[in-house]
Amino acid sequence: MTGKLYGVGVGPGDPELVTLKALRLTKEADILAFPGENPRESVAYKIMKGAYPEIDTKQMISLPMPMTKDKEQLKQVHDEGTRIIADQLDQGKNVVFLTLGDPTVYSTYLYVHKRVAQMRYDTEIVSGITSFCAVSARFNQGLVEKAQQLHVIPASYQIEEALKLPGTKVLMKSGKAIGETAAALSRHGLAEESAMVADCGLPTQQVFETITGLPEKISYFATVIVPDSKE
C-alpha cells in the first residue's frame, strides 16, 4: 500500500496561526518535506517549530527549489522533487510537505503536487492562512467590502497593467522587486496610500505604512496592499 502526500500550509509566519489540522498532520507524518537545501533553514520549518517544538524528532527531507525562471532548470528540480517524494510514497510512508502561507497561492508545492497526482498517488491540499489576509489584519483593516474586487498579483512580473484594475490589489513576494514595484506605484500615484509588511508574523517582521523611503533590501516575503482608489 502506497503512502499519501499532503501539501500543508503553515500560514504567513506567526506560529499561533498554524491550523489545528496542519499541526495534527505534522505530528502524524512519517516524513516531513521542505523546499530548499536544508530543512532547518526553511521558513516553513521555523514556523512549525514554534507551534511544534518536537519537530526535530521527525524524519525530514529537503527538495531543492531554486528561485529561477529558467523553465528547463525548474522542470529538472520539480521532476527530481517528485521522484524523491514518490520513492517515500512507494515505501508506504505518508509525506507532509510544509509550505509557507497557503499551498494554493503561488506555492512551490503545487509543481510537485500536480506531478505526484498525475502519477495516481493519493494527495491532499490543506489550506493555511494567506500572507495577504494576515497583512491586512496587521493593519487592522479589511481587504474588500460589498462589490469591491480583489486582485492577487505576483510582483516579480510586469504589474503596470495590473495596477489599473479596479478594487484592491495585493502584490505578492514583492521584496526581490521592491525597487521596480515602488517605482510603478509612484507612477500611478499609489505609493502614499499603499502599505507593506515583510516577513509577516516572523521575528524579522518589518511594517511599512507607505511605499516611500524604503530601504534598498527587503525580504523576498513582502506583501503590498494597494487599496481601492475609488473607496
Side-chain angles (χ1 to χ4, degrees):
M1 183 176 180
T2 58
K4 181 174 180 177
L5 171 63
Y6 297 86
V8 177
V10 299
D14 184 347
E16 291 188 325
L17 295 182
V18 171
T19 67
L20 292 174
K21 186 168 186 178
L23 182 59
R24 175 179 63 80
L25 289 173
T26 299
K27 291 179 179 180
E28 295 175 354
D30 297 309
I31 305 288
L32 296 179
F34 297 90
E37 298 292 339
N38 183 341
R40 290 175 177 82
E41 293 179 358
S42 165
V43 177
Y45 163 84
K46 294 174 184 178
I47 295 170
M48 186 56 78
K49 173 77 171 178
Y52 177 45
E54 298 81 9
I55 191 173
D56 291 314
T57 63
K58 308 294 294 187
Q59 183 178 349
M60 294 182 279
I61 59 175
S62 59
L63 308 177
M65 296 283 182
M67 291 184 182
T68 178
K69 294 179 182 178
D70 185 289
K71 292 182 179 179
E72 185 56 35
Q73 184 181 1
L74 286 172
K75 181 181 183 303
Q76 291 176 1
V77 297
H78 295 152
D79 287 347
E80 175 63 11
T82 301
R83 184 197 64 76
I84 292 171
I85 288 178
D87 181 60
Q88 299 296 333
L89 298 177
D90 285 338
Q91 297 177 48
K93 296 180 180 179
N94 291 332
V95 179
V96 169
F97 187 120
L98 295 177
T99 184
L100 189 65
D102 185 287
T104 67
V105 182
Y106 300 121
S107 171
T108 53
Y109 167 74
L110 283 178
Y111 301 104
V112 173
H113 173 86
K114 289 186 287 187
R115 286 167 167 78
V116 172
Q118 288 170 357
M119 296 167 69
R120 304 299 182 186
Y121 290 101
D122 196 7
T123 59
E124 181 180 338
I125 292 177
V126 178
S127 291
I129 293 174
T130 63
S131 63
F132 53 88
C133 288
V135 167
S136 187
R138 170 60 182 77
F139 288 115
N140 203 32
Q141 62 188 29
L143 281 170
V144 284
E145 298 178 18
K146 299 179 181 178
Q148 287 179 318
Q149 298 179 17
L150 176 64
H151 303 277
V152 182
I153 303 150
S156 57
Y157 293 84
Q158 180 55 251
I159 63 172
E160 289 286 348
E161 290 302 313
L163 291 177
K164 299 176 184 178
L165 294 169
T168 301
K169 273 76 68 177
V170 170
L171 308 181
M172 298 282 293
K173 299 180 179 178
S174 301
K176 191 175 181 179
I178 192 58
E180 295 86 345
T181 299
L185 289 168
S186 294
R187 286 193 295 273
H188 287 264
L190 298 170
E192 289 287 346
E193 60 193 82
S194 300
M196 178 176 71
V197 177
D199 289 347
C200 185
L202 293 168
T204 52
Q205 174 178 281
Q206 293 176 287
V207 179
F208 301 92
E209 300 287 343
T210 67
I211 310 302
T212 56
L214 297 175
E216 290 185 7
K217 291 186 178 181
I218 298 290
S219 168
Y220 173 74
F221 299 110
T223 301
V224 176
I225 305 292
V226 186
D228 188 347
S229 58
K230 295 181 181 180
E231 186 177 359

